[in-house]
Amino acid sequence: MLYLLPLALFASALSASSDALSTKMTKNLKVLVSSNDFPESGLEVLKEHFTVLQSRYLHFGEEGVRENKEELLNLIPGCSALLWSSHHPISKELLDKAGPQLKIVSTASAGYNHANVPELKARGIKLSNTPNVLSSAVAEIAVALILGAARRFTENLEQVKSGQWDIGFTKTLGQDIRGSTVGIIGLGGIGQATVKRLSGFEVGKFLYTGHREKPEAKALNAEFTSLDNLLNQSDFVVLAVPLTDETNRMINSTTLGKMKKNAILINVGRGDLVDQDALYDALKNKQIYAAGLDVTTPEPLPKDNKLLTLPNLFVLPHIGSATVRTRSDMAVLAAENIVNALTGKPLLTPVLP
Ligand code: DGY
C-alpha cells in the first residue's frame, strides 16, 4: 500500500502544476464585465483565471446605459468573453467590435431574450444563462405580487401616505388565496418554486399549462390543462414563461377576455408577455380584478405611464432576483460558465453550448 503514496503525491503535484500552468495560460485572455456593480464573488472567480476588464459605469438606467455603451465598445476588442449583467439588448455593433476571438457571452439572468441569440449562433459564440439559482427569489416576488395585488396594496399604501384612511368593515376588501385556483403559465423552476411557496396558503387547486406535462407536477399536486381552461378557471394567473416569439403578448385582449372577473394577473417573466394597452383597459373596466407586475415594457416604466394611474395595479421595478445571496450565486455561476468555456469544459447552464 505504502508504495502507492509517492505515486499519489506525484499525481497531485502534477495536477497542481498543470492547474498553475493552465491558469498562467488563461491569464492573457481578457474577459469584459458589462457593469461596475457586478458582485465581488463573481469577479473573484474570473480574476483567478483571466485578465478582467470592467465597465466603469452602471448598466442600468438611461444614463448608465448611454455612458456604458461607449465604454463597452472601447473595451471589447480582443476580449474572449463577455459577462452581461443586465436586461439591455446586446447589439450587433458590440459583437462586431469584439473580434473573432469572442468565444462566449454569459448573461447573469435566467431570461436571455436580450442576448441576440440568432446573431451569437450565426457567429458560433456560446451563450450561457443563470437559471435555477434565482428561482426561489423570483418565486418570493411572485408571492409578494399576489399578496400586493389581492390585498390592494397600491390603494392601501396611498391611503397611508395621504393620511386619509378609508377604513370600514366592508371597505377596500381584497381577495383570498385560501380556496382559490392558481394557474401557472410555465411550470419551470420559477413556476414550481412559486407553487411550493404558495402551498402553505391553503390554495384550492393548482393548474398549469405549457408545451407538455412536467414530471415534477405530480408531487406539487398541479394539474396540467390547456391555456384556455387555465384562464377560464383561475383566480390567480401567474406568468412564469420566458419571452419568445410564441409567448410575446400571449396576454392580450382575447386572452384577458377569457379570464374571470375576479382574476388577478401576475407577471414575473418579461413585460412583453403582456399587451399593456389591453391590460390597462381590462383593469380600468374591471374586466379583471387586479394585476401585479415585476416586469414591464419599458423598464423603467415612465412615471406618467397610464398603467400607474390604476388603483388595481401593483408594480415592482424588476426586483425578482434582487437579493444579496441570489445575485451573488448568479454572479458565480455566470463567471464559472466563462471559466468552463475558455478552458474547454462544457457550460454548466448552456443556452448555446
Ligand atoms: C432573470 O434573471 O431573467 C429575471 O428577470 C431576474 O429578475
Side-chain angles (χ1 to χ4, degrees):
M1 205 58 185
L2 260 185
Y3 63 93
L4 285 177
L5 195 63
L7 207 59
L9 286 174
F10 176 70
S12 100
L14 199 65
S15 118
S17 76
S18 85
D19 279 358
L21 188 67
S22 71
T23 300
K24 211 168 161 196
M25 282 164 64
T26 55
K27 271 284 179 190
N28 59 353
L29 299 177
K30 289 193 288 177
V31 173
L32 176 58
V33 176
S34 72
S35 158
N36 71 7
D37 68 341
F38 192 65
E40 206 46 50
S41 52
L43 288 174
E44 269 171 28
V45 173
L46 293 174
K47 283 178 183 164
E48 202 183 305
H49 298 270
F50 312 112
T51 301
V52 177
L53 308 183
Q54 187 174 12
S55 169
R56 289 171 298 162
Y57 302 103
L58 262 183
H59 209 190
F60 290 93
E62 225 172 277
E63 206 182 318
V65 172
R66 194 168 9 90
E67 289 170 330
N68 216 8
K69 186 176 171 216
E70 286 311 305
E71 172 91 338
L72 294 177
L73 287 170
N74 283 334
L75 291 176
I76 203 161
C79 285
S80 299
L82 173 61
L83 199 153
W84 200 253
S85 66
S86 78
H87 302 118
H88 290 287
I90 298 177
S91 68
K92 189 168 172 301
E93 186 188 8
L94 188 64
L95 298 175
D96 283 342
K97 270 272 186 179
Q101 78 301 318
L102 184 71
K103 294 280 176 297
I104 173 160
V105 171
S106 170
T107 179
S109 60
Y112 49 85
N113 51 294
H114 58 287
N116 210 340
V117 177
E119 201 56 46
L120 294 179
K121 203 169 177 180
R123 293 166 190 243
I125 297 171
K126 294 174 196 287
L127 173 65
S128 60
N129 64 342
T130 59
N132 311 326
V133 288
L134 47 67
S135 297
S136 306
V138 178
E140 283 166 13
I141 284 299
V143 175
L145 289 170
I146 286 175
L147 291 168
R151 302 303 291 272
R152 302 169 66 160
F153 278 13
T154 302
E155 287 163 83
N156 284 323
L157 287 170
E158 210 41 65
Q159 292 191 22
V160 175
K161 274 192 250 162
S162 70
Q164 282 164 4
W165 295 17
D166 189 19
I167 48 174
F169 201 70
T170 56
K171 284 194 171 190
T172 330
L173 302 187
Q175 301 281 344
D176 285 288
I177 303 175
R178 176 170 56 110
S180 68
T181 296
V182 175
I184 310 279
I185 302 184
L187 196 70
I190 293 169
Q192 290 171 33
T194 304
V195 172
K196 279 186 199 152
R197 274 147 191 80
L198 284 176
S199 58
F201 284 79
E202 299 172 46
V203 168
K205 195 198 264 187
F206 286 108
L207 299 174
Y208 75 100
T209 193
H211 283 140
R212 62 193 75 82
E213 290 194 43
K214 296 267 179 164
E216 298 88 348
K218 203 164 180 250
L220 296 170
N221 263 326
E223 202 179 291
F224 186 67
T225 190
S226 66
L227 176 63
D228 275 4
N229 274 342
L230 183 144
L231 295 172
N232 285 330
Q233 291 179 35
S234 298
D235 302 300
F236 296 91
V237 173
V238 180
L239 283 168
V241 274
L243 176 64
T244 62
D245 289 346
E246 188 193 352
T247 60
N248 197 315
R249 301 191 180 216
M250 69 185 300
I251 298 299
N252 49 45
S253 55
T254 310
T255 44
L256 283 161
K258 294 178 180 170
M259 288 169 66
K260 290 163 78 168
K261 204 168 154 45
N262 69 300
I264 295 176
L265 176 74
I266 302 299
N267 189 3
V268 290
R270 286 289 178 271
D272 279 333
L273 296 173
V274 177
D275 174 342
Q276 289 180 175
D277 285 332
L279 178 63
Y280 173 84
D281 291 341
L283 290 171
K284 180 92 187 153
N285 303 329
K286 300 203 166 52
Q287 190 188 336
I288 65 168
Y289 183 79
L293 311 177
D294 184 43
V295 284
T296 57
T297 301
E299 288 176 7
L301 193 63
K303 65 173 195 274
D304 58 358
N305 188 289
K306 63 182 175 182
L307 281 172
L308 298 176
T309 63
L310 294 166
N312 51 351
L313 179 70
F314 180 57
V315 189
L316 294 173
H318 202 155
I319 55 165
S321 65
T323 70
V324 176
R325 176 174 168 190
T326 298
R327 284 285 158 86
S328 174
D329 290 349
M330 291 164 74
V332 169
L333 177 56
E336 282 174 346
N337 272 315
I338 290 182
V339 174
N340 280 17
L342 299 185
T343 57
K345 295 184 196 125
L347 297 180
L348 299 169
T349 44
V351 177
L352 296 172

